[in-house]
Amino acid sequence: AVAGAPAGAAGRSADRSRSPPSASGRMPQDIEAFVDQYHLEWWVAEVLGRLSLYQRRNVMRELGSMQGVRNPSGVVMTRVKQVCNTQELLTIFIDLNQLDPEVAQDLWGLTEEQQHAVVAPGIYIQNA
């Protein structure tokens, strides 16, 4: 959900490596260990933390050996997209990117096909 998203979040700096949102609190240990083991980007941990336990375990179990993978964050996100429906992905997209409530409302007003087109290129907006 977008409740609590800061107004004007769309006007943030264009720093590609912006740090994780501080409001997210502590990440479950299984996610921290998985992210550390495969050197995943911080936002992948945030995505995993927003999945149901069942979805998260499915993603992590099926990707148990990613040593030597060129883009492990991309591999994880491909699997996440397989276990989530479009509405779940859109919810994560809105929350992770701290979109303004008006933008979120516009996204929810789109057809499912349009929503899918929004999240298909990537769940995390870099350089925004």
Side-chain angles (χ1 to χ4, degrees):
V2 185
R12 286 188 300 245
S13 118
D15 180 6
R16 177 186 170 124
S17 63
R18 66 183 187 255
S19 56
S22 57
S24 63
R26 293 190 184 118
M27 196 58 58
Q29 285 186 340
D30 62 332
I31 295 175
E32 285 185 19
F34 189 74
V35 168
D36 289 345
Q37 179 179 0
Y38 295 111
H39 309 288
L40 303 174
E41 297 185 55
W42 69 264
W43 56 267
V44 176
E46 293 291 325
V47 170
L48 290 171
R50 287 166 171 81
L51 300 179
S52 72
L53 182 59
Y54 176 78
Q55 290 169 320
R56 182 170 79 229
R57 287 195 175 154
N58 261 341
V59 168
M60 292 168 66
R61 181 181 63 245
E62 293 187 18
L63 298 173
S65 179
M66 288 195 301
Q67 300 302 338
V69 171
R70 192 167 152 219
N71 181 5
S73 294
V75 173
V76 171
M77 288 310 305
T78 296
R79 184 65 187 120
V80 166
K81 289 178 182 180
Q82 293 170 349
V83 302
C84 291
N85 66 38
T86 302
Q87 289 74 31
E88 291 168 323
L89 290 171
L90 187 61
T91 299
I92 294 169
F93 179 83
I94 291 167
D95 189 36
L96 184 64
N97 293 293
Q98 300 176 347
L99 299 181
D100 289 328
E102 298 83 23
V103 173
Q105 188 172 0
D106 289 345
L107 290 173
W108 285 117
L110 299 174
T111 66
E112 185 172 348
E113 183 178 335
Q114 291 169 324
Q115 291 171 348
H116 179 75
V118 169
V119 298
I123 200 90
Y124 175 61
I125 301 172
Q126 297 186 26
N127 299 322

